[in-house]
Amino acid sequence: MKGKENSVKDGYNIKITVIRGNYLKGKTAENFRSFLQVEMDGMVLGQSDKKPFDPEHQLVIYDFDCNFHCPSDTQALSDIAQKPVILTVTEVLPKEKRVETKTAVLGQAVVDLLPLLHGQCSFTAKVPLNPMTSSQARESSQDPRHRPTLDVHVTVLEPLLCETERAACTLLKVTVETAYCVPESWMLPPDCAPTPCTYTAALQVPLTAEKDQVLVFYEGQLKPGGQREEKSRQKKMPHQALLVPGNQFLPGAFFQAEPIEQEDGELTSLENQEFRNKVETAENRVSWDTEMCCFMDAGGTARLRERITASRLWPVEIMRLLAPLEKTAKTKELPEENPKIPFHGVAFVDMRRLLYPGVSCIRGAYSIQPFSEAELLNKTNRSVSVLKELTKAAAIQGKAHASSAAGSYKANPGKYLDGNSNEAKGSEDPTNKQPGNDNRTAAVDSMAGSPTKSESHINKEGNLYMEGRTYIIIEIALEKPLVPKTSPEELSRRVKALILPRPPLPMGPSRAETSYSDDHLSCSQLRHFAREAQFIGDHQQAAQCYQELVLRHPSEPSHMFAYGSLHMLTGDYMKAKECYFDALLIQQTHQPSLMMCGVLAVMFEQYKEAQTFLERVSDIYPSSVVGWTLLGLFHEIQDKSILAEWAFLEARRQLTVETKKQTESEEKKKNMKEDQQEEEESATPACQSPGVIQGPEFVDQYAKINKEPLAQSVSSRSAPDKFTSTIYTATAQFLLQNNALQMAECALSHELLCPEGGCSVSYLLHLAQWQLLRGDYCSAAASIKEVLDAGRDQDADVWALNGHCHYLQRAFYDAQDSYERSLNLSQQPSDSFLVLLRLGSIYLQQEKACEQFPSCPTWLGLGTACYQLQELSLAEEALIEANYLNHQNAEMWAYLSLISLKSGKKEEAELFYKYAVKFNLQNESLQKELNEQQDQLYHSN
């Protein structure tokens, strides 16, 4: 065995052994002899002796060995990745059957050497021997169980790559699928003879830290429209001209159907989806369907990351020639300097997603536009066209009468053709030898930055791409991600290391000392008491409730989480952090606790911990909009723009899915509601006002709603929920629920700047909440006024929030008006408990005012309050007192009419209503309620 030093210097000898052929079919029935020939990259490696066919066992024993010397350079390894070994089996014809030839080719097989790049030193393959002609193909297809095959064994003395090298290098696969809406001028009339046009696509990718390689896709086929491409069609191999039709397809490689909206490229909007669904059936196209694999060593892989970081757009160039490039070069039709590329187009592929953690593949449609060196430089920081360099190299090779042009060059594009490693020969001018070299002369620099004379005129051919909206579908896949994603096991280990068990929290008051320890009290009531205490500012009482909940249910993380949110409200962030850690000790996957631990870690500038918690959320809850957005905000705080972009993109994707599901669910509920509406209306009691929450029922409703504590789930029940439309408002909502004002401000700033957001109603509502929590009541009131001015005056949550702003400023009259408006609307406010609590406080103050300063407005206010609470007798007494003081108040008469209607006193109701009309009732909502009650009473009678 050669030593490693000799391997590095001399390369590797790859041994190819063809053991036997199975079920071969010759032209001379069962008695025939055959031999096989082995070639690689156009070079014949060997030819076997003539071997007889064994008709009894239906095989030919070849036992033929040949060696292929693989140089130790990186280009040779890349050739192995994309160029197969070709095996050709030939039958020797007997003398009496000889006519013009002495032999007949039976078939061709190919062997992929890719396993050697995966570290294998040997492998065995049974490869199909595909016939050379269609007639032979039909004959072999008649018996699929006995199709001809070759048994091949490939060995190398030692791995081509050691473990360290394989971990650092990678394989890159590029698939050029189809270009749609190609220029109409490409299609010939039916009576015209076809022309030998070639359709070529090319792109440049790194090979090593200093060299690039060019991948060229020659075999584009022009097709007319009329039907869609098959979604599960098989991918083709490169270099198809050397292969028989049966060998042109990659074994086991098929296209997978993918919705357009899930693609990574352009043209994914709803409008473009409709356009693409139409043209991908009806329009003309050029199809390659070819996958090309190439190798990049550690330096090339690192340079790929660096170049994507520097420029996210990578050019894929397109051209059409009237003849193959080699033939055109031999006929001297191509000038060596500045050749004109027919129908020269370029598509810019956004490669930046390959720098997202765990992402190893991108696929999408990309618009083709006329090629322009100025545009190329502007978008990609490159100044040289790959196709121009290819045609220059082909022209030089044609002049030297060479059969192919290939090469490698340093740093930027050079004289490559089809990925081969031989330098193009010709001009002695150093600028011609290395046109992309960083050390090129100033004259060359100035030429690269300005358009040439041939580019000064309009690219008429290229403009056809723009006119026809031509686009091409491309997939780029890596063997492994450029940025690895932390494994779930590692994230779990890190979280466990951060939340080591602490001494238990101090015991709360004993059951004998607290009023909440009654066995008849339920958890929902305790949560209700906790929230009630929290609303009125009695944080000590709220803490006692949460402690009692934790003691009763030590295995439930949500109670400890709610306790932590109370500490967030009081500003005791260390205590809050301890509570969230305790919740994770109970359940390590508790989503809101993981998110709040990450938020607090960001606040404390403990960024490593924050990354652990937030990555854990995205790993175990990949559909969490808030989780992904928090991760994006975290990365942006650290100026990691690519990672932030990745997280925000995932958040938007999940929001789209969530919105779609929610819309479908709402449509389903709406249909069910319409079916049951008539039945429900007939079941409504005449004495109950629809849409008014009654006291005892409200407590039960609140208990039901709060079966899970506040912020237990990411979906919010706070006021702006129905307006949430972006990832930032959804995240701000969660943060505001849990009093994380610093991070909420960051989310709102992004909402203001993002294209789909801005100063929207949703933004203003969340901003008002944030201002309320900061104690800036005047600013909050101003924000809510903007919302109301924007036409949201029929939303109960908006009026409730407006009431809170006035209440906290002690503007009780305005607060009462807003609260009553919120309760009078058909859809009740989300925080109706707090609305009723504060409205009740205002009413109590009004009752005292009625005693101390009796007047019609004070008694009317008290009567209105009692009516809202369905205390009809008390309301009637207060309204009568108001009547004594002013019998011309229209609203007083209207409320008396409502009470009479609800009590079934039809005649009194009609009389009171006449007085209300007489004194010019202006309150529209009150008039509407009167009409509804009248209709309901008359209908029931």
Side-chain angles (χ1 to χ4, degrees):
M1 180 182 292
K2 293 184 178 181
K4 186 66 177 177
E5 293 181 0
N6 291 334
S7 297
V8 171
K9 181 178 180 180
D10 301 328
Y12 305 87
N13 282 324
I14 300 173
K15 183 179 180 181
I16 301 170
T17 302
V18 182
I19 302 171
R20 66 183 187 183
N22 307 294
Y23 303 109
L24 305 187
K25 299 184 185 298
K27 293 187 176 182
T28 56
E30 297 182 347
N31 299 317
F32 68 90
R33 292 186 305 156
S34 64
F35 66 91
L36 61 87
Q37 178 176 290
V38 183
E39 58 182 300
M40 170 72 177
D41 194 14
M43 179 177 64
V44 176
L45 304 181
Q47 182 174 303
S48 74
D49 294 334
K50 301 175 180 65
K51 298 291 184 178
F53 178 72
D54 182 352
E56 180 179 357
H57 297 95
Q58 291 290 302
L59 55 82
V60 178
I61 302 296
Y62 289 110
D63 280 337
F64 172 68
D65 297 337
C66 61
N67 292 320
F68 166 59
H69 182 74
C70 174
S72 59
D73 63 276
T74 309
Q75 182 62 61
L77 297 179
S78 194
D79 289 342
I80 285 179
Q82 60 184 269
K83 297 178 180 178
V85 176
I86 300 177
L87 310 175
T88 306
V89 177
T90 305
E91 177 188 2
V92 180
L93 298 176
K95 292 183 179 180
E96 61 273 14
K97 291 292 181 83
R98 293 179 183 174
V99 182
E100 295 181 0
T101 60
K102 299 180 180 180
T103 60
V105 178
L106 295 182
Q108 182 194 75
V110 294
V111 179
D112 191 352
L113 299 181
L114 204 57
L116 298 180
L117 295 179
H118 291 148
Q120 295 180 225
C121 289
S122 66
F123 67 91
T124 301
K126 185 182 290 292
V127 293
L129 185 70
N130 287 300
M132 307 295 291
T133 64
S134 57
S135 60
Q136 289 175 320
R138 286 192 295 271
E139 291 175 5
S140 63
S141 63
Q142 293 175 359
D143 190 0
R145 295 173 299 173
H146 295 158
R147 286 183 176 174
T149 59
L150 297 178
D151 292 345
V152 184
H153 186 63
V154 180
T155 58
V156 64
L157 292 179
E158 58 182 313
L160 301 186
L161 298 166
C162 66
E163 290 289 340
T164 304
E165 289 171 329
R166 279 194 286 119
C169 67
T170 192
L171 292 172
L172 175 70
K173 294 181 180 180
V174 178
T175 303
V176 177
E177 298 184 22
T178 307
Y180 291 97
C181 300
V182 297
E184 287 290 337
S185 60
W186 291 5
M187 304 302 296
L188 295 174
D191 55 343
C192 292
T195 55
C197 294
T198 62
Y199 303 90
T200 304
L203 75 157
Q204 169 192 292
V205 295
L207 175 67
T208 67
E210 298 178 343
K211 296 180 180 179
D212 288 329
Q213 55 189 328
V214 174
L215 306 182
V216 185
F217 298 80
Y218 285 113
E219 296 92 356
Q221 297 179 2
L222 182 64
K223 294 182 179 180
Q227 62 181 7
R228 295 184 70 90
E229 299 291 314
E230 294 183 12
K231 291 184 178 180
S232 57
R233 63 193 186 278
Q234 196 168 4
K235 294 183 178 181
K236 297 178 183 178
M237 299 180 70
H239 316 292
Q240 296 162 24
L242 303 175
L243 306 175
V244 300
N247 288 332
Q248 293 179 1
F249 295 94
L250 281 168
F254 295 88
F255 291 101
Q256 301 296 325
E258 181 183 34
I260 292 177
E261 63 269 18
Q262 295 181 15
E263 292 179 355
D264 302 303
E266 308 163 10
L267 309 176
T268 58
S269 66
L270 288 175
E271 179 183 353
N272 284 317
Q273 288 179 41
E274 295 177 3
F275 164 72
R276 287 180 57 184
N277 286 328
K278 178 181 178 181
V279 302
E280 289 179 17
T281 299
E283 294 296 324
N284 305 328
R285 69 208 59 179
V286 171
S287 176
W288 286 268
D289 286 350
T290 301
E291 176 183 285
M292 188 174 292
C293 181
C294 63
F295 174 82
M296 290 186 293
D297 66 7
T301 304
R303 194 155 70 94
L304 178 64
R305 279 195 299 267
E306 293 169 1
R307 289 179 65 174
I308 295 175
T309 303
S311 177
R312 65 191 302 161
L313 298 179
W314 284 52
V316 177
E317 296 182 40
I318 313 292
M319 72 174 177
R320 186 191 80 154
L321 291 175
L322 294 178
L325 185 61
E326 294 84 357
K327 183 178 179 180
T328 306
K330 290 179 181 178
T331 58
K332 299 183 180 180
E333 294 179 8
L334 290 175
E336 293 181 25
E337 295 297 329
N338 195 29
K340 185 178 183 301
I341 308 298
F343 290 96
H344 196 182
V346 61
F348 294 100
V349 178
D350 191 340
M351 299 273 280
R352 198 165 186 179
R353 294 187 186 187
L354 291 177
L355 297 184
Y356 296 169
V359 174
S360 59
C361 179
I362 58 172
R363 177 185 177 274
Y366 302 91
S367 299
I368 300 177
Q369 53 189 279
F371 180 86
S372 162
E373 287 187 359
E375 191 75 3
L376 181 72
L377 182 63
N378 180 48
K379 289 187 174 181
T380 68
N381 295 325
R382 305 185 192 190
S383 57
V384 178
S385 162
V386 171
L387 286 180
K388 281 191 177 181
E389 293 304 307
L390 285 173
T391 53
K392 284 181 184 179
I396 294 172
Q397 291 288 355
K399 185 177 180 180
H401 302 288
S403 60
S404 63
S408 61
Y409 54 91
K410 295 186 177 182
N412 284 321
K415 308 284 173 76
Y416 264 144
L417 182 62
D418 210 12
N420 291 330
S421 58
N422 297 324
E423 283 285 347
K425 298 179 181 179
S427 172
E428 296 298 325
D429 187 346
T431 60
N432 288 336
K433 290 184 178 179
Q434 292 184 332
N437 197 304
D438 289 339
N439 296 322
R440 61 188 182 274
T441 63
V444 175
D445 275 332
S446 62
M447 289 175 62
S450 59
T452 62
K453 291 183 179 180
S454 63
E455 278 196 329
S456 60
H457 67 280
I458 297 176
N459 185 349
K460 295 181 179 179
E461 292 179 341
N463 282 339
L464 294 177
Y465 293 128
M466 299 288 288
E467 294 171 5
R469 298 181 67 184
T470 310
Y471 63 92
I472 187 170
I473 299 178
I474 297 172
E475 178 182 271
I476 299 177
L478 290 158
E479 180 186 28
K480 50 182 176 284
L482 292 175
V483 180
K485 193 175 183 180
T486 309
S487 68
E489 296 76 16
E490 176 61 19
L491 287 172
S492 177
R493 186 195 65 78
R494 292 179 186 177
V495 171
K496 285 181 180 178
L498 290 173
I499 56 170
L500 294 174
R502 301 183 300 103
L505 291 174
M507 296 293 288
S510 66
R511 291 194 169 219
E513 296 173 345
T514 179
S515 60
Y516 307 113
S517 61
D518 188 351
D519 289 338
H520 297 290
L521 253 43
S522 65
C523 288
S524 61
Q525 287 173 315
L526 272 176
R527 284 194 293 268
H528 170 72
F529 295 151
R531 280 197 74 191
E532 183 182 58
Q534 194 168 319
F535 282 147
I536 64 176
D538 192 346
H539 299 147
Q540 183 177 358
Q541 188 177 358
Q544 290 178 0
C545 293
Y546 287 129
Q547 288 173 5
E548 182 69 20
L549 283 168
V550 170
L551 290 174
R552 289 190 184 187
H553 303 279
S555 61
E556 175 52 58
S558 61
H559 302 319
M560 189 60 76
F561 176 82
Y563 194 18
S565 295
L566 175 65
H567 289 305
M568 290 291 295
L569 179 63
T570 61
D572 194 342
Y573 301 125
M574 289 305 299
K575 284 283 183 66
K577 180 179 179 181
E578 291 174 2
C579 289
Y580 296 140
F581 274 26
D582 287 339
L584 291 177
L585 284 172
I586 298 170
Q587 180 186 330
Q588 196 193 101
T589 59
H590 191 242
Q591 182 183 1
S593 295
L594 284 168
M595 291 194 292
M596 286 306 298
C597 283
V599 169
L600 283 171
V602 172
M603 291 174 60
F604 294 142
E605 297 185 355
Q606 298 169 341
Y607 296 126
K608 191 173 182 180
E609 289 186 14
Q611 183 171 353
T612 296
F613 287 120
L614 296 176
E615 284 186 354
R616 181 65 170 156
V617 174
S618 64
D619 178 68
I620 58 180
Y621 299 103
S623 62
S624 171
V625 175
V626 175
W628 282 112
T629 308
L630 287 175
L631 184 60
L633 294 173
F634 158 74
H635 285 311
E636 198 161 78
I637 288 171
Q638 291 195 296
D639 293 327
K640 296 180 179 179
S641 59
I642 295 177
L643 294 178
E645 178 186 282
W646 160 66
F648 291 147
L649 177 63
E650 287 298 323
R652 289 187 177 93
R653 282 181 175 176
Q654 297 306 324
L655 182 63
T656 300
V657 173
E658 186 178 295
T659 304
K660 185 177 180 181
K661 289 181 179 179
Q662 186 177 356
T663 302
E664 292 174 353
S665 177
E666 288 175 356
E667 286 293 329
K668 187 176 180 181
K669 289 179 180 179
K670 181 181 178 181
N671 294 335
M672 292 176 63
K673 186 176 180 181
E674 289 176 354
D675 294 338
Q676 299 174 359
Q677 186 173 6
E678 185 175 348
E679 183 178 339
E680 290 175 357
E681 287 178 354
S682 62
T684 304
C687 62
Q688 178 179 334
S689 173
V692 178
I693 296 180
Q694 306 206 15
E697 294 176 354
F698 171 72
V699 176
D700 294 336
Q701 181 190 11
Y702 183 81
K704 182 178 179 181
I705 290 176
N706 286 274
K707 189 173 183 179
E708 291 185 359
L710 185 66
Q712 166 67 19
S713 62
V714 174
S715 61
S716 171
R717 302 183 196 95
S718 60
D721 179 56
K722 62 176 69 65
F723 301 108
T724 298
S725 58
T726 72
I727 60 174
Y728 303 114
T729 51
T731 304
Q733 189 169 302
F734 169 79
L735 295 168
L736 291 170
Q737 278 184 322
N738 296 286
N739 308 292
L741 302 186
Q742 179 180 335
M743 205 72 163
E745 182 181 16
C746 185
L748 289 174
S749 298
H750 280 74
E751 168 68 12
L752 190 60
L753 297 175
C754 75
E756 65 271 25
C759 193
S760 62
V761 169
S762 180
Y763 167 78
L764 290 170
L765 286 170
H766 286 92
L767 177 64
Q769 274 196 321
W770 180 76
Q771 291 164 336
L772 276 176
L773 289 171
R774 290 183 69 240
D776 189 357
Y777 307 134
C778 293
S779 297
S783 299
I784 293 298
K785 186 178 184 301
E786 288 189 54
V787 175
L788 291 170
D789 292 342
R792 296 290 182 174
D793 55 348
Q794 294 300 309
D795 187 271
D797 286 326
V798 176
W799 283 112
L801 203 57
N802 192 51
H804 299 331
C805 293
H806 293 304
Y807 184 89
L808 294 170
Q809 294 181 87
R810 305 188 68 78
F812 297 124
Y813 180 80
D814 293 332
Q816 177 185 343
D817 179 65
S818 295
Y819 288 148
E820 289 175 349
R821 283 174 179 264
S822 69
L823 293 172
N824 284 334
L825 293 170
S826 57
Q827 183 69 36
Q828 293 297 293
S830 303
D831 58 347
S832 51
F833 165 73
L834 181 58
V835 171
L836 289 172
L837 190 69
R838 288 178 171 171
L839 186 58
S841 173
I842 295 172
Y843 289 160
L844 288 175
Q845 294 179 27
Q846 286 181 345
E847 185 175 4
K848 294 178 180 178
C850 290
E851 295 174 356
Q852 296 178 8
F853 308 100
S855 66
C856 180
T858 56
W859 282 111
L860 176 60
L862 181 59
T864 302
C866 294
Y867 174 81
Q868 297 289 351
L869 296 173
Q870 297 300 305
E871 297 291 344
L872 300 184
S873 60
L874 294 177
E876 187 175 19
E877 292 177 6
L879 291 169
I880 291 172
E881 293 293 335
N883 187 29
Y884 289 150
L885 297 171
N886 182 6
H887 67 280
Q888 295 184 356
N889 188 289
E891 290 191 12
M892 177 267 299
W893 289 112
Y895 277 111
L896 283 173
S897 180
L898 282 171
I899 294 172
S900 299
L901 285 170
K902 290 194 173 187
S903 303
K905 302 174 183 178
K906 182 180 177 182
E907 294 181 357
E908 289 186 8
E910 290 179 351
L911 178 62
F912 295 151
Y913 178 70
K914 289 179 180 178
Y915 282 120
V917 173
K918 178 180 179 181
F919 295 119
N920 194 20
L921 179 63
Q922 297 292 325
N923 191 320
E924 294 182 2
S925 61
L926 197 55
Q927 179 70 62
K928 182 180 179 182
E929 187 176 0
L930 271 167
N931 295 336
E932 290 175 353
Q933 288 294 327
Q934 289 168 350
D935 293 341
Q936 185 176 343
L937 179 61
Y938 297 148
H939 179 71
S940 62
N941 291 334

